[in-house]
mmCIF file of all heavy atoms in Angstrom:
data_model
loop_
_atom_site.group_PDB
_atom_site.id
_atom_site.type_symbol
_atom_site.label_atom_id
_atom_site.label_comp_id
_atom_site.label_asym_id
_atom_site.label_seq_id
_atom_site.Cartn_x
_atom_site.Cartn_y
_atom_site.Cartn_z
ATOM 1 N N CYS A 8 54.939 -1.155 -1.123
ATOM 2 C CA CYS A 8 53.716 -1.822 -1.604
ATOM 3 C C CYS A 8 52.473 -1.072 -1.140
ATOM 4 O O CYS A 8 51.506 -0.882 -1.904
ATOM 5 C CB CYS A 8 53.669 -3.273 -1.105
ATOM 6 S SG CYS A 8 54.899 -4.333 -1.885
ATOM 7 N N TYR A 73 7.019 -12.209 5.315
ATOM 8 C CA TYR A 73 6.343 -13.492 5.518
ATOM 9 C C TYR A 73 6.685 -14.017 6.909
ATOM 10 O O TYR A 73 7.600 -14.821 7.095
ATOM 11 C CB TYR A 73 6.767 -14.488 4.435
ATOM 12 C CG TYR A 73 6.164 -14.193 3.088
ATOM 13 C CD1 TYR A 73 6.849 -13.413 2.162
ATOM 14 C CD2 TYR A 73 4.912 -14.670 2.745
ATOM 15 C CE1 TYR A 73 6.293 -13.133 0.919
ATOM 16 C CE2 TYR A 73 4.343 -14.397 1.500
ATOM 17 C CZ TYR A 73 5.047 -13.631 0.602
ATOM 18 O OH TYR A 73 4.488 -13.351 -0.614
ATOM 19 N N GLN A 86 12.388 -18.609 8.928
ATOM 20 C CA GLN A 86 13.124 -17.445 9.436
ATOM 21 C C GLN A 86 14.337 -17.198 8.538
ATOM 22 O O GLN A 86 14.182 -16.661 7.451
ATOM 23 C CB GLN A 86 13.499 -17.661 10.899
ATOM 24 C CG GLN A 86 12.268 -17.653 11.817
ATOM 25 C CD GLN A 86 12.613 -17.803 13.271
ATOM 26 O OE1 GLN A 86 13.301 -18.731 13.672
ATOM 27 N NE2 GLN A 86 12.120 -16.887 14.084
ATOM 28 N N GLN A 351 31.205 16.322 -3.393
ATOM 29 C CA GLN A 351 30.760 16.367 -2.005
ATOM 30 C C GLN A 351 30.643 17.807 -1.508
ATOM 31 O O GLN A 351 29.834 18.110 -0.630
ATOM 32 C CB GLN A 351 31.741 15.588 -1.120
ATOM 33 C CG GLN A 351 31.715 14.083 -1.328
ATOM 34 C CD GLN A 351 30.425 13.462 -0.859
ATOM 35 O OE1 GLN A 351 29.940 13.757 0.229
ATOM 36 N NE2 GLN A 351 29.850 12.599 -1.685
ATOM 37 N N VAL A 384 33.878 16.389 -12.363
ATOM 38 C CA VAL A 384 34.062 17.799 -12.016
ATOM 39 C C VAL A 384 35.545 18.090 -11.856
ATOM 40 O O VAL A 384 36.344 17.203 -11.519
ATOM 41 C CB VAL A 384 33.317 18.169 -10.711
ATOM 42 C CG1 VAL A 384 31.829 18.121 -10.900
ATOM 43 C CG2 VAL A 384 33.724 17.247 -9.564
ATOM 44 N N GLU A 409 30.344 34.017 -26.958
ATOM 45 C CA GLU A 409 30.954 32.841 -26.320
ATOM 46 C C GLU A 409 31.934 33.251 -25.225
ATOM 47 O O GLU A 409 32.861 32.522 -24.894
ATOM 48 C CB GLU A 409 31.641 31.942 -27.347
ATOM 49 C CG GLU A 409 30.657 31.315 -28.333
ATOM 50 C CD GLU A 409 31.300 30.271 -29.220
ATOM 51 O OE1 GLU A 409 32.449 30.505 -29.673
ATOM 52 O OE2 GLU A 409 30.678 29.224 -29.432
ATOM 53 N N PHE A 583 8.698 21.098 -24.672
ATOM 54 C CA PHE A 583 7.641 20.104 -24.876
ATOM 55 C C PHE A 583 6.360 20.459 -24.131
ATOM 56 O O PHE A 583 5.571 19.592 -23.784
ATOM 57 C CB PHE A 583 8.144 18.722 -24.445
ATOM 58 C CG PHE A 583 9.346 18.267 -25.211
ATOM 59 C CD1 PHE A 583 10.618 18.518 -24.730
ATOM 60 C CD2 PHE A 583 9.197 17.619 -26.422
ATOM 61 C CE1 PHE A 583 11.742 18.106 -25.448
ATOM 62 C CE2 PHE A 583 10.311 17.205 -27.144
ATOM 63 C CZ PHE A 583 11.586 17.454 -26.657
ATOM 64 N N ILE A 760 -23.010 -7.805 -3.577
ATOM 65 C CA ILE A 760 -23.526 -7.874 -2.214
ATOM 66 C C ILE A 760 -25.024 -8.123 -2.305
ATOM 67 O O ILE A 760 -25.779 -7.277 -2.802
ATOM 68 C CB ILE A 760 -23.222 -6.587 -1.434
ATOM 69 C CG1 ILE A 760 -21.696 -6.368 -1.378
ATOM 70 C CG2 ILE A 760 -23.803 -6.652 -0.038
ATOM 71 C CD1 ILE A 760 -21.288 -5.120 -0.665
ATOM 72 N N GLU A 890 -56.153 49.218 2.869
ATOM 73 C CA GLU A 890 -57.414 49.953 2.817
ATOM 74 C C GLU A 890 -57.680 50.703 4.121
ATOM 75 O O GLU A 890 -58.140 51.852 4.116
ATOM 76 C CB GLU A 890 -58.564 48.989 2.540
ATOM 77 C CG GLU A 890 -58.538 48.413 1.121
ATOM 78 C CD GLU A 890 -59.552 47.292 0.941
ATOM 79 O OE1 GLU A 890 -60.282 47.007 1.921
ATOM 80 O OE2 GLU A 890 -59.596 46.688 -0.147
#
Side-chain angles (χ1 to χ4, degrees):
C8 290
Y73 287 93
Q86 292 182 306
Q351 290 292 314
V384 292
E409 295 188 319
F583 300 93
I760 300 179
E890 291 171 2

